[in-house]
Amino acid sequence: MNIDKIMTDGLSFSLPLFIMAIGGIYSERSGVTMLSIEGFQGFGAFTGAITVVILRTAMGSSPNWLIYVATLASVLGGMLLALLNALMVIKLKSKMTIAGVVVNILAVALTSFLSSVITGAVTGQATNKIQLGVSPRYTIPYLSEIPVIGGLFQNIYPFAFIIIVVALLAWYVLYKTSYGLRLRAGGDNPHSLDAAGVDVNKIRFSAVVLAGGFAGLGGIAFTYMMANFSPSSYVGYGYLAIAALIFGNWNIRTTFWTSMFFGFSRSFSDQLVNELGMSSNYSDLFSVMPYVLTLIVLIFFSKHNRPPRALGEHFDKGKR
Amino acid sequence: MTETIVELKNITKRFPGIVANDDVTLDIRKGEIFALLGENGAGKSTLMSILFGMYEPDEGQIFVRGEKVRLTSSKDAAALSIGMVHQHFKLVSNYTITENIVLGDEPLKRLGPLSWVDLKGASEKIRSLSLEYGLEVNPDDKIEDLPVSTQQRVEILKMLYRDAEILIFDEPTSVLTPQEIEYLLEIMEELRRGGKTIILISHKLEEIKQVADRCAILLHGKLVGVYDVATTTTQRMANLMVGKELDFSIDKTEHDFGEVVLDVSDLTVYNEQKVKVVDNVSLKVRQGEILAIAGVSGNGQVDIADAIAGLQNISAGSISFKGEDISRLTIKERITKGISYIPEDRQKEGLIMDLTLRDNLAIKTFDREPFSKKGILQPESFEQQAEDLIRRYDIRSGQGGQTLTRSMSGGNQQKAIIAREVELDSDLLIFVQPTRGLDVGAIANIHQQILEQRDLGKAILLVSLELDEVMALADTISVAFRGQILKTDSVHNLSKEEVGQYMMGVTQ
């Protein structure tokens, strides 16, 4: 069995999942139920991809740095859709779960429509499948030759580095800064935050928008792994990220491990299918493995879980 | 010496259907303990919420230290060194004491572009503050692990940490045991010695008498007057507060008891943490009898009541109701058999706060005729019942049956529960701390209800922490101590002092 491949693929799948889960943690720890990671991810990826297409056409060439522009665009795109989500749940006080589902549906519909329209206008060929260039990949010398875990250091996407840095920063902000202290208070007892003179809704608003940015970063990473963006890019990774954060008990450190667990179980099952040379019917069955694991894990661990106490409650000053 | 620090001039505040404050004018002096006395719903909390910036008055002006101010948020109040301990604590349960205290006003440490919350430094400051005022806490403890009294100290420290000069306490003793109350009152005196101005919202006359210098009495949103506590008797304060001459004594006619309604024998209960909270308890309640379980909080008395009502599983013993073992029945079956239950926590277990009063009143009977016919709810019946009960039980609510339960005052919420439970016409009524946190008027009303039910021949089990209440109402007293019943006897054979001794576990 190709251990290196399991390691390489596992990591490149886990990290985007992890950063998306961090987005969910930000939102949920502030008290806003977050189901729209999937939508933010897709919309972000779309924004990134379409930016690449526009720039590529305008310049007539495809330089390497486009990938970083795409990343930035994807983050902003995720934040843009998150802005809408935040408006719905915080300003307009719509039900958080419903808003989440609506945003997800909207993202799929909007991106497939806009893909066709924009590619048509820019390149003259309307398609909802946006081809991206191939992402460069890096192998770290020496480390990549270590047995078993060497694979972790081979063929790394540039996103891996970005995600690791952003994740560390996100951890620092959430657990060490005053913003983080306030954010986490918002999900436990928003009234304490209000009494301390902090605007609860502002904090929550910012947390949701940040969640969009994190999801956008995860989204572009997944998109470059598949080399193109299309509406069929929505395959449930956003929900998997939510499962990872629940399993990780709304804590960034534990969620890192649960994301790894999901990522590596997926690359493992992929390799297993390859190794056994199974037909595509069976391989589909095996790709279900991470989701089945999710289900099992959630069944067994849910009762030890402690979601934020005020999760899903709108903040209303008058309510005692 | 008598420098005025806060002046409220002609404050009026209206809520839908209610004038909470009606032209109230007060002045509070620096360094005094100023009490605000009034029934539930008299407008005390609203008035202080205005001073704390949580509501803006519709009319009137506020002066702090001689300057006219406009308070639009608690931040404005904090800037004027006004702090408040709310009735419902505003604490983050999974944070440490330190984290809670610094929240919103975090001390930062910096290194280049990075800044982080300096919890260590804050912790030290809190430790020294807590020593200075005798408020013992360990700053690194998590709130969820702490008893209510300690949480309250955290709230006080929160104000002191922010250098508050004017400290508002909203019903601070309603959640405390007698010893803890003593301790809190001492802290208040300590704070006064430290030069702080204290505003104490309360309806407990004794504690006002004990610590306050002056006392303003509110009635139905209007100021009755400001009185010098030292020269005003508690009886007079009570009368002013309810607006009519009040009779403290309870008329209880002696009568013979009927058949045994509730027969609990050898009951043992373990709680969720597998701790034995009820230990081999036996008791009997007869028709027309009030059996009161006295005891210091947390000695298993609530667990006994919960076990009878079916809220807690029993692990040994039997509960028999009118000769039938009910210990395996569901809660609903027990209700149908004729058990009414007035729980300790009216907001958590007694009512659904976000439903209307009308729906809460029908919450145990909605599936019966006339409230539903063939599975279809009959709103007119809900409405009729609500109107009827609101009138008969004097439940005050802004918009009648349509009032949101959450918006009602505590006393009226309790009246609603009692109305609902009494209307079930059950043979057994269980009252757990029925007058907790209520004012004199509401307490008298509820005592009257309990006695009426007794005289109708109902069996009544009363769990109360207030020894005076137990002595006044009970026919028979059982004293709970560490999950056991130490003593059961007729009220005529026991003095208050004896019961107090048993409550401490002294058995001679």
Side-chain angles (χ1 to χ4, degrees):
Chain A
M1 191 169 256
N2 190 343
I3 304 261
D4 278 359
K5 186 103 171 72
I6 294 179
M7 289 291 159
T8 309
D9 287 356
L11 192 70
S12 45
F13 184 71
S14 305
L15 285 174
L17 198 64
F18 175 46
I19 199 70
M20 280 159 46
I22 288 181
I25 291 175
Y26 263 65
S27 172
E28 300 222 323
R29 286 303 290 264
S30 81
V32 179
T33 308
M34 181 40 67
L35 292 182
S36 15
I37 296 289
E38 179 87 1
F40 299 163
Q41 170 214 337
F43 193 79
F46 157 78
T47 319
I50 213 77
T51 309
V52 168
V53 168
I54 292 172
L55 288 176
R56 211 162 47 193
T57 317
M59 300 186 302
S61 69
S62 170
N64 261 343
W65 50 261
L66 262 187
I67 191 170
Y68 299 104
V69 177
T71 306
L72 188 68
S74 180
V75 168
L76 292 176
M79 289 170 105
L80 185 70
L81 192 63
L83 204 67
L84 177 73
N85 197 28
L87 274 174
M88 283 163 78
V89 300
I90 293 161
K91 274 268 179 290
L92 306 174
K93 303 223 182 291
S94 61
K95 289 261 184 261
M96 295 179 186
T97 44
I98 307 275
V101 172
V102 166
V103 165
N104 285 341
I105 295 171
L106 181 75
V108 178
L110 205 60
T111 50
S112 62
F113 167 69
L114 288 176
S115 305
S116 307
V117 172
I118 298 178
T119 50
V122 175
T123 65
Q125 256 183 327
T127 168
N128 64 10
K129 193 162 182 172
I130 307 174
Q131 293 293 339
L132 291 171
V134 180
S135 163
R137 299 177 79 162
Y138 307 96
T139 295
I140 301 175
Y142 306 117
L143 287 178
S144 56
E145 279 147 40
I146 303 172
V148 186
I149 60 161
L152 293 177
F153 304 101
Q154 297 166 7
N155 295 319
I156 308 173
Y157 286 96
F159 304 107
F161 303 109
I162 300 175
I163 287 172
I164 289 169
V165 171
V166 171
L168 281 172
L169 226 90
W171 174 84
Y172 175 82
V173 167
L174 190 61
Y175 295 103
K176 298 291 166 193
T177 65
S178 59
Y179 172 74
L181 190 74
R182 294 169 182 194
L183 189 152
R184 287 178 291 128
D188 186 90
N189 186 356
H191 295 279
S192 64
L193 202 53
D194 181 54
V198 181
D199 188 332
V200 176
N201 285 333
K202 238 185 221 163
I203 292 270
R204 289 185 166 183
F205 204 97
S206 65
V208 173
V209 172
L210 281 175
F214 290 131
L217 179 55
I220 196 73
F222 278 130
T223 308
Y224 265 100
M225 279 164 63
M226 291 182 272
N228 64 65
F229 174 82
S230 76
S232 58
S233 302
Y234 297 92
V235 285
Y237 292 157
Y239 295 107
L240 204 58
I242 294 169
L245 79 90
I246 294 175
F247 180 28
N249 219 352
W250 288 267
N251 177 305
I252 291 185
R253 231 182 304 178
T254 28
T255 300
F256 172 77
W257 295 113
T258 58
S259 305
M260 292 298 133
F261 172 74
F262 286 144
F264 285 95
S265 66
R266 188 193 135 109
S267 64
F268 175 75
S269 61
D270 282 356
Q271 277 307 304
L272 201 63
V273 171
N274 251 338
E275 204 77 8
L276 301 176
M278 282 191 272
S279 76
S280 68
N281 288 344
Y282 289 103
S283 74
D284 283 350
L285 191 66
F286 270 84
S287 357
V288 173
M289 205 154 109
Y291 305 99
V292 174
L293 276 174
T294 310
L295 207 64
I296 295 170
V297 152
L298 287 182
I299 290 168
F300 283 102
F301 287 85
S302 289
K303 65 168 177 253
H304 301 294
N305 266 347
R306 289 194 30 185
R309 280 200 320 154
L311 180 60
E313 284 175 19
H314 288 291
F315 176 67
D316 176 5
K317 252 179 181 287
K319 211 162 152 174
R320 285 181 276 191
Chain B
M1 189 62 210
T2 55
E3 182 192 338
T4 299
I5 190 159
V6 173
E7 266 184 284
L8 301 173
K9 278 196 178 155
N10 311 101
I11 300 287
T12 297
K13 176 75 191 171
R14 299 180 195 90
F15 289 115
I18 286 174
V19 182
N21 292 137
D22 189 357
D23 195 20
V24 176
T25 299
L26 282 180
D27 65 284
I28 294 158
R29 296 170 196 155
K30 188 169 166 27
E32 72 173 338
I33 297 183
F34 186 88
L36 262 176
L37 179 65
E39 286 195 282
N40 291 304
K44 303 165 300 212
S45 292
T46 307
L47 190 63
M48 284 305 111
S49 298
I50 288 173
L51 180 57
F52 192 57
M54 293 165 77
Y55 300 126
E56 279 196 72
D58 295 324
E59 286 160 36
Q61 293 151 345
I62 304 169
F63 294 85
V64 177
R65 297 182 191 88
E67 273 179 53
K68 185 170 181 222
V69 292
R70 187 164 164 259
L71 299 143
T72 55
S73 79
S74 51
K75 219 170 188 166
D76 295 340
L80 292 165
S81 312
I82 302 174
M84 183 158 177
V85 175
H86 300 270
Q87 202 172 355
H88 305 276
F89 301 151
K90 313 236 173 203
L91 297 171
V92 180
S93 61
N94 59 357
Y95 276 13
T96 64
I97 290 179
T98 305
E99 288 173 322
N100 264 289
I101 290 176
V102 299
L103 185 65
D105 187 17
E106 302 87 357
L108 295 179
K109 268 198 169 171
R110 272 171 220 284
L111 183 75
L114 296 179
S115 74
W116 63 93
V117 181
D118 178 20
L119 288 174
K120 222 177 220 168
S123 207
E124 282 314 304
K125 184 173 171 192
I126 291 161
R127 211 179 286 274
S128 70
L129 262 179
S130 81
L131 288 176
E132 186 182 341
Y133 289 99
L135 291 151
E136 274 170 62
V137 297
N138 174 11
D140 302 324
D141 286 347
K142 260 193 184 178
I143 295 297
E144 59 199 355
D145 302 330
L146 298 173
V148 178
S149 57
T150 312
Q151 294 188 8
Q152 189 173 54
R153 279 178 232 159
V154 176
E155 287 283 11
I156 299 172
L157 280 168
K158 215 157 126 186
M159 299 189 295
L160 297 175
Y161 182 85
R162 276 147 226 253
D163 300 317
E165 292 293 323
I166 303 163
L167 313 179
I168 307 169
F169 288 82
D170 189 0
E171 306 273 3
T173 58
S174 62
V175 291
L176 302 181
T177 64
Q179 293 89 329
E180 290 166 347
I181 291 176
E182 273 309 306
Y183 186 66
L184 176 69
L185 296 181
E186 276 167 35
I187 290 170
M188 286 187 185
E189 287 174 338
E190 185 66 43
L191 290 167
R192 175 172 53 187
R193 272 194 289 279
K196 311 281 186 191
T197 306
I198 293 173
I199 303 173
L200 169 64
I201 303 176
S202 181
H203 52 246
K204 291 198 186 157
L205 299 164
E206 316 82 60
E207 64 195 37
I208 287 178
K209 190 78 186 163
Q210 196 178 333
V211 294
D213 299 302
R214 292 188 308 148
C215 157
I217 296 176
L218 289 178
L219 176 65
H220 300 316
K222 287 200 176 85
L223 181 72
V224 178
V226 179
Y227 303 88
D228 202 8
V229 172
T231 57
T232 315
T233 64
T234 42
Q235 182 66 44
R236 179 160 155 70
M237 285 196 267
N239 290 341
L240 290 165
M241 172 173 143
V242 291
K244 54 187 178 238
E245 288 293 317
L246 202 91
D247 191 5
F248 262 137
S249 64
I250 289 175
D251 272 333
K252 208 169 93 185
T253 51
E254 292 304 319
H255 61 209
D256 291 329
F257 308 128
E259 289 166 27
V260 173
V261 175
L262 177 73
D263 188 351
V264 174
S265 65
D266 307 322
L267 181 71
T268 298
V269 176
Y270 288 84
N271 68 4
E272 280 170 18
Q273 286 79 40
K274 311 275 178 261
V275 176
K276 195 191 261 187
V277 284
V278 178
D279 184 3
N280 210 16
V281 163
S282 299
L283 46 88
K284 284 189 173 68
V285 192
R286 291 161 288 186
Q287 290 175 334
E289 178 184 19
I290 298 179
L291 176 93
I293 305 182
V296 178
S297 172
N299 275 291
Q301 53 283 61
V302 178
D303 305 276
I304 297 175
D306 281 353
I308 297 167
L311 276 75
Q312 219 164 18
N313 289 331
I314 69 171
S315 51
S318 71
I319 302 168
S320 117
F321 178 68
K322 295 199 284 187
E324 182 191 351
D325 184 34
I326 58 160
S327 56
R328 300 281 163 231
L329 297 187
T330 62
I331 298 173
K332 178 147 180 100
E333 285 164 339
R334 296 185 208 205
I335 295 169
T336 321
K337 291 259 180 243
I339 296 180
S340 283
Y341 185 65
I342 291 91
E344 180 182 33
D345 191 331
R346 63 183 79 101
Q347 304 197 338
K348 272 199 193 123
E349 287 164 359
L351 296 164
I352 301 177
M353 301 298 280
D354 290 312
L355 284 188
T356 58
L357 172 60
R358 184 187 93 166
D359 292 348
N360 265 306
L361 287 171
I363 212 143
K364 286 194 171 170
T365 44
F366 69 92
D367 57 345
R368 303 181 197 166
E369 299 242 359
F371 300 103
S372 53
K373 286 185 182 146
K374 298 190 172 70
I376 313 255
L377 295 178
Q378 307 294 318
E380 318 81 59
S381 302
F382 280 67
E383 200 53 54
Q384 263 169 26
Q385 168 177 275
E387 272 172 35
D388 179 41
L389 296 188
I390 288 171
R391 188 174 41 77
R392 282 199 287 131
Y393 290 85
D394 187 30
I395 306 168
R396 280 177 223 158
S397 52
Q399 295 129 316
Q402 294 297 344
T403 312
L404 199 63
T405 311
R406 186 180 294 283
S407 69
M408 292 165 50
S409 71
N412 285 304
Q413 290 173 357
Q414 185 73 341
K415 280 188 201 167
I417 297 178
I418 289 180
R420 178 183 76 206
E421 297 298 325
V422 167
E423 285 303 301
L424 288 175
D425 199 21
S426 302
D427 293 318
L428 172 66
L429 291 99
I430 304 171
F431 291 86
V432 182
Q433 292 247 66
T435 58
R436 183 175 119 166
L438 302 187
D439 58 62
V440 185
I443 290 175
N445 176 304
I446 284 161
H447 285 173
Q448 209 48 53
Q449 299 279 355
I450 296 176
L451 285 177
E452 248 169 55
Q453 292 304 308
R454 165 189 181 265
D455 294 340
L456 284 170
K458 309 285 189 189
I460 289 164
L461 179 68
L462 169 71
V463 173
S464 175
L465 302 180
E466 306 279 340
L467 192 47
D468 289 324
E469 180 168 274
V470 168
M471 297 307 293
L473 290 175
D475 295 305
T476 311
I477 296 177
S478 290
V479 188
F481 182 72
R482 296 199 180 147
Q484 295 177 321
I485 296 293
L486 278 194
K487 176 84 180 172
T488 299
D489 207 338
S490 159
V491 68
H492 304 299
N493 301 334
L494 286 168
S495 70
K496 191 175 162 184
E497 288 68 30
E498 280 174 301
V499 177
Q501 294 220 314
Y502 284 114
M503 283 166 63
M504 293 295 148
V506 182
T507 47
Q508 271 99 39

